[in-house]
């Protein structure tokens, strides 16, 4: 028991706790996750409920964030929008991590021509700027939540492949891997049981920042009309709808814009904090 | 040095072939029949079949790809738009200068502000100035380019009426798009410059320079900055790719007649030939920029130069 209390993760948590901005980021993210889970109880209206008599109202006591051109409550739509954003962020990063991580682990551990081929494939994907790759995948597959998650996920596969490969390369010469090999452990088991757990630190940092990037990318797709289908609320699409009313009703863009920025900022604060906490060498 | 450059140029070829293959496959297997898109709703099945035959759409996939890539390499021909029927290369080339100008101004602005901010932050580590600038840098990274664009329009076009909200011909029209697009990279460059400078500060040769009694300005300028900027150069190259992607959004907000906006409109019209050509041109541009960065890198870093002596 004593050993557990001073285990590496406890240490990381203690270091993270001292970073006020990172803790703030963490609190905001936990809050956002709760909002997404309990959206049904928090939102005063349903997100698709139209009320043309109440269209384009500025923020007031009934409609806290005002209403849009269809008379839908913007507060409700921002609350439900958190579901879409967090879902896209988490699932697309999981896709990228799973595929990219596997590719990186195999490339790094096996080496040789397999490494060369896999990493050249990653270079090819990296040559297409991420946003553009996501746009072309959505253009091919069509919009919708699932396709957006796939598109954004595929776009970030190479960065995870590179990170995991680099970690595995530095680990595979270490004694505990040699030992596992010497007792005849299967390659797949060495990768899964011994290498991957030890590459966690950079992966956690990259994933936190990656969720932020994925949410931004999905919002960008929504903004150019390639995202989730209406009437499901998505912050980027809400911004796009609101920009046509910017002269007279800026509240339509202010709140979804703030929601995106606060989410991304919190994830970045947490990601930065985690980086410092997980790699004390980087911090002087 | 020449050997290094040659090697990097040669490496570009398989990457670009790979990119063209990925993009071509994606567009090839996209739903929708190009012949039907070209002929419109009223066409008969016979007409569609005939056009499919003429365009070679019934040939095996690899033959179609081979024909496409040969045309691209030999004739610089990216095919014809399904909708306007004009050559894709023309459609893209007339808009390409605007996109390049936008991304160039964005990265220029990002370097002009990001590098000095990063240096100042590093020299005054943990001061209030450092804390404030780094907080704003983080806000800058977190700000979606499209929201920033909207806010800029709201402030400078709608409220203050200082700058026009669309177009890209005069410098007044260029300020807001360049700024909206460049902010994110500016923040990344500032953060990178700061951490790179801090890293260099810990090196022995800086201590030596200081102990020789050199002034702080000279230490920063002659010893620290040169070495600290090497990793920053890489980041700038990568940011350029990010900016090309961001240009798609920026062009949409400010109604700039560029390749990005053309692509978005083409996706909506299902004009896949243009989308395909656009992605290829963007990937080519990004690869050439990164090639330039790698060469510059070798030029700046004597260790790389030495490897290829």
């Amino acid at each position: 028991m004593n050993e557990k209390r001073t285990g590496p993760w406890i240490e990381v948590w203690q270091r993270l706790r001292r970073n006020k901005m990172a803790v703030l980021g963490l609190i905001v993210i936990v809050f956002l996750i709760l909002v997404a889970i309990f959206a049904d109880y928090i939102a005063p209206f349903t997100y698709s409920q139209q009320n043309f008599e109440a269209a384009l109202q500025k923020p007031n006591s009934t409609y806290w964030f005002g209403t849009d051109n269809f008379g839908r409550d913007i507060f409700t739509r921002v609350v439900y929008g958190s579901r879409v954003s967090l879902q896209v962020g988490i699932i697309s990063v999981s896709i990228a991590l799973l595929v990219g991580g596997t590719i990186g682990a195999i490339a790094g551990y096996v080496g040789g021509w397999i490494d060369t081929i896999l990493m050249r494939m990653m270079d090819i994907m990296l040559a297409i700027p991420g946003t553009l790759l996501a746009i072309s995948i959505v253009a091919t597959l069509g919009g919708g939540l699932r396709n957006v998650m796939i598109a954004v996920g595929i776009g970030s596969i190479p960065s995870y492949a590179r990170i995991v490969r680099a970690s595995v390369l530095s680990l595979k010469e270490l004694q505990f891997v040699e030992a596992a090999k010497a007792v005849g452990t299967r390659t797949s088991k060495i990768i899964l049981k011994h290498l991957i757990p030890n590459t966690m630190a950079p992966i956690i940092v990259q994933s936190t920042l990656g969720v932020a990037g994925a949410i931004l990318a999905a919002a960008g797709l929504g903004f150019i009309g390639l995202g989730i289908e209406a009437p499901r609320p998505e912050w980027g699409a809400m911004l796009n709808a609101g920009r046509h009313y910017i002269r007279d009703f800026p509240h339509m863009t202010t709140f979804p814009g703030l929601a995106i920025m606060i989410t991304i900022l919190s994830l970045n604060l947490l990601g930065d904090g985690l980086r410092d906490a997980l790699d004390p060498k980087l911090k002087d | 040095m020449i050997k290094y450059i040659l090697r990097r140029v040669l490496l570009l070829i398989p990457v670009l072939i790979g990119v063209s293959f990925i993009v071509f496959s994606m567009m090839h297997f996209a739903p929708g029949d190009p012949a039907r898109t070209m002929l419109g709703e009223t066409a008969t099945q016979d007409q569609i079949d005939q056009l499919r035959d003429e365009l070679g759409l019934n040939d095996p996939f690899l033959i179609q790809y081979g024909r496409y890539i040969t045309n691209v390499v030999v004739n610089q021909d990216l095919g014809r738009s399904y909708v306007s029927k004009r050559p894709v290369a023309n459609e893209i080339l007339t808009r390409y200068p605007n996109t390049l100008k936008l991304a160039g101004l964005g990265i220029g602005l990002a370097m002009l502000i990001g590098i000095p901010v990063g240096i100042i932050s590093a020299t005054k580590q943990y001061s209030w100035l450092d804390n404030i600038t780094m907080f704003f840098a983080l806000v800058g990274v977190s700000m979606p380019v499209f929201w920033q664009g909207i806010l800029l329009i709201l402030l400078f076009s709608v409220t203050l009426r200082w700058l026009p909200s669309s177009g890209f011909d005069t410098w007044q029209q260029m300020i807001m798009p360049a700024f909206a697009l460049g902010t994110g990279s500016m923040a990344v460059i500032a953060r990178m410059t700061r951490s790179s400078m801090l890293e260099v500060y810990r090196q022995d040769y800086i201590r030596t320079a200081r102990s020789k009694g050199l002034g702080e300005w000279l230490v920063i300028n002659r010893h620290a900055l040169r070495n600290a900027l090497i990793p920053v150069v890489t980041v700038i190259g990568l940011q350029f790719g990010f900016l090309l992607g961001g240009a798609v959004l920026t062009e949409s907000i400010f109604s700039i007649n560029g390749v990005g906006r053309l692509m978005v409109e083409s996706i909506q019209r299902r004009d896949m030939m243009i989308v395909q050509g656009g992605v290829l041109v963007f990937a080519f541009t990004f690869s050439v920029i990164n090639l330039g960065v790698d060469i510059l890198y070798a030029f700046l870093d004597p260790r790389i130069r030495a490897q290829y002596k």
Side-chain angles (χ1 to χ4, degrees):
Chain A
M1 282 306 281
N2 237 349
E3 224 173 56
K4 256 200 172 162
R5 215 172 294 157
T6 51
W9 293 110
I10 307 282
E11 241 174 74
V12 167
W13 167 240
Q14 278 164 350
R15 273 199 297 267
L16 185 70
R17 236 175 32 186
R18 262 179 264 142
N19 186 337
K20 284 188 204 105
M21 294 313 265
V23 173
L24 181 69
L26 182 64
I27 291 172
V28 175
I29 290 157
V30 171
F31 175 73
L32 276 168
I33 293 174
L34 292 175
V35 166
I37 294 173
F38 297 108
D40 293 337
Y41 304 99
I42 297 168
F45 301 91
T46 60
Y47 62 73
S48 54
Q49 190 179 329
Q50 300 185 359
N51 177 6
F52 284 97
E53 277 163 32
L56 294 170
Q57 285 198 18
K58 304 229 160 130
N60 55 50
S61 57
T62 322
Y63 303 105
W64 296 348
F65 291 177
T67 57
D68 67 6
N69 47 322
F70 295 111
R72 296 178 298 196
D73 179 39
I74 292 179
F75 176 70
T76 302
R77 292 178 63 75
V78 168
V79 165
Y80 275 101
S82 65
R83 272 193 185 172
V84 172
S85 288
L86 289 176
Q87 221 173 320
V88 172
I90 293 166
I91 296 183
S92 54
V93 165
S94 310
I95 295 173
L97 187 56
L98 213 68
V99 181
T102 312
I103 293 175
I106 294 174
Y109 188 74
V110 180
W113 60 271
I114 292 181
D115 178 31
T116 312
I117 289 180
L118 287 175
M119 292 330 278
R120 285 298 85 77
M121 275 165 63
M122 294 299 107
D123 286 348
I124 289 169
M125 283 177 74
L126 277 174
I128 309 175
T131 318
L132 277 168
L133 187 58
I135 288 175
S136 12
I137 295 172
V138 172
T140 312
L141 298 174
L145 183 59
R146 197 191 50 156
N147 291 346
V148 167
M149 294 189 297
I150 294 174
V152 175
I154 291 179
S156 32
I157 286 175
S159 42
Y160 291 93
R162 287 193 155 190
I163 289 172
V164 174
R165 176 177 176 273
S167 300
V168 168
L169 275 181
S170 65
L171 283 172
K172 76 171 181 185
E173 306 300 333
L174 296 184
Q175 273 181 347
F176 69 94
V177 179
E178 292 283 324
K181 239 190 283 184
V183 296
T185 315
R186 266 181 297 124
T187 307
S188 57
K189 199 172 170 191
I190 293 182
I191 291 179
L192 283 175
K193 284 259 154 90
H194 297 280
L195 291 177
I196 295 205
N198 282 295
T199 57
M200 283 321 260
I203 287 177
I204 289 172
V205 174
Q206 175 70 20
S207 303
T208 314
L209 300 172
V211 172
I215 292 176
L216 263 187
L221 287 173
F223 186 76
I224 51 173
L226 291 175
I228 317 310
E229 37 314 59
R232 212 161 171 198
E234 194 274 326
W235 295 336
M238 287 173 76
L239 270 176
N240 185 33
R243 76 179 160 131
H244 303 295
Y245 297 90
I246 184 135
R247 274 168 211 281
D248 302 310
F249 307 102
H251 71 271
M252 275 180 73
T253 50
T254 307
F255 295 105
L258 272 176
I260 300 178
M261 204 190 77
I262 291 171
T263 309
I264 307 295
L265 184 60
S266 312
L267 283 163
N268 282 336
L269 284 172
L270 179 65
D272 272 10
L274 280 170
R275 180 178 6 231
D276 294 343
L278 285 165
D279 193 352
K281 275 174 291 177
L282 287 178
K283 186 110 183 137
D284 29 284
Chain B
M1 191 69 183
I2 289 171
K3 221 162 105 189
Y4 172 79
I5 294 173
L6 208 66
R7 204 180 113 89
R8 275 299 279 108
V9 174
L10 286 176
L11 270 174
L12 201 64
I13 296 168
V15 168
L16 286 175
I17 291 177
V19 168
S20 71
F21 186 75
I22 292 180
V23 177
F24 186 86
S25 326
M26 279 195 324
M27 298 307 151
H28 182 83
F29 295 110
D33 182 353
R36 194 177 285 276
T37 313
M38 286 177 95
L39 291 169
E41 296 293 324
T42 52
T44 63
Q45 192 58 45
D46 278 349
Q47 287 172 305
I48 291 171
D49 288 342
Q50 198 190 341
L51 186 63
R52 282 189 65 85
D53 231 31
E54 279 169 29
L55 294 172
L57 292 172
N58 294 323
D59 295 337
F61 166 70
L62 280 178
I63 298 209
Q64 286 189 46
Y65 170 70
R67 197 164 41 218
Y68 179 75
I69 197 71
T70 317
N71 256 328
V72 172
V73 176
V74 179
N75 310 322
Q76 290 81 50
D77 177 6
L78 294 165
R80 271 172 191 278
S81 155
Y82 294 157
V83 178
S84 72
K85 315 281 191 298
R86 282 196 289 267
V88 172
N90 285 6
E91 296 271 28
I92 288 177
L93 279 181
T94 49
R95 292 166 174 88
Y96 190 59
N98 271 346
T99 303
L100 217 52
K101 220 188 313 176
L102 175 62
L105 283 173
I107 201 81
L109 205 61
M111 284 158 57
L112 205 67
I113 299 176
I115 294 177
V117 165
I119 295 171
I120 293 169
S121 248
T123 49
K124 307 249 183 276
Q125 197 188 6
Y126 298 135
S127 66
W128 61 270
L129 192 68
D130 178 32
N131 288 334
I132 289 177
T133 47
M134 281 306 112
F135 181 75
F136 275 104
L138 206 59
V139 173
V141 179
S142 310
M143 190 87 155
V145 49
F146 40 93
W147 191 43
Q148 204 191 345
I150 291 173
L151 288 180
L152 288 173
I153 290 178
L154 191 61
L155 180 61
F156 293 106
S157 303
V158 178
T159 311
L160 298 171
R161 293 172 189 281
W162 287 354
L163 296 166
S165 66
S166 62
F168 202 65
D169 297 309
T170 63
W171 65 267
Q172 288 99 329
Q173 289 172 321
M174 291 180 194
I175 296 178
M176 285 199 295
F179 199 81
L181 183 61
T183 306
S185 303
M186 193 187 294
V188 173
I189 291 171
R191 279 158 59 100
M192 186 69 207
T193 308
R194 175 180 180 273
S195 62
S196 180
M197 280 294 274
L198 289 177
E199 185 75 29
V200 168
Y201 271 156
R202 281 199 290 268
Q203 304 296 320
D204 289 340
Y205 56 81
I206 297 295
R207 199 177 316 140
T208 311
R210 282 212 181 103
S211 61
K212 278 196 301 190
L214 288 185
E216 194 57 28
W217 193 83
L218 215 59
V219 173
I220 294 173
N221 222 351
R222 189 169 294 166
H223 296 269
L225 195 56
R226 277 192 194 184
N227 293 296
L229 282 184
I230 293 174
V232 177
V233 169
T234 313
V235 170
I236 291 171
L238 291 174
Q239 281 299 311
F240 199 84
F242 179 77
L243 286 192
L244 286 175
V248 177
L249 300 169
T250 315
E251 287 172 7
S252 295
I253 304 164
F254 293 99
S255 312
I256 297 167
N257 195 15
V259 184
R261 192 165 149 231
L262 173 73
M263 281 174 67
V264 173
E265 288 166 0
S266 301
I267 291 172
Q268 277 145 7
R269 289 194 292 252
R270 302 220 57 80
D271 193 348
M272 290 308 179
M273 219 49 181
I274 290 198
V275 181
Q276 184 172 310
V279 178
L280 268 186
V281 169
F282 272 123
F284 180 75
T285 311
F286 185 33
S287 299
V288 170
I289 297 278
N290 270 330
L291 172 71
V293 167
D294 275 3
I295 292 171
L296 186 67
Y297 203 98
F299 193 72
L300 290 173
D301 192 343
R303 283 168 300 186
I304 295 184
R305 239 179 304 160
Q307 276 176 24
Y308 288 88
K309 272 260 162 75

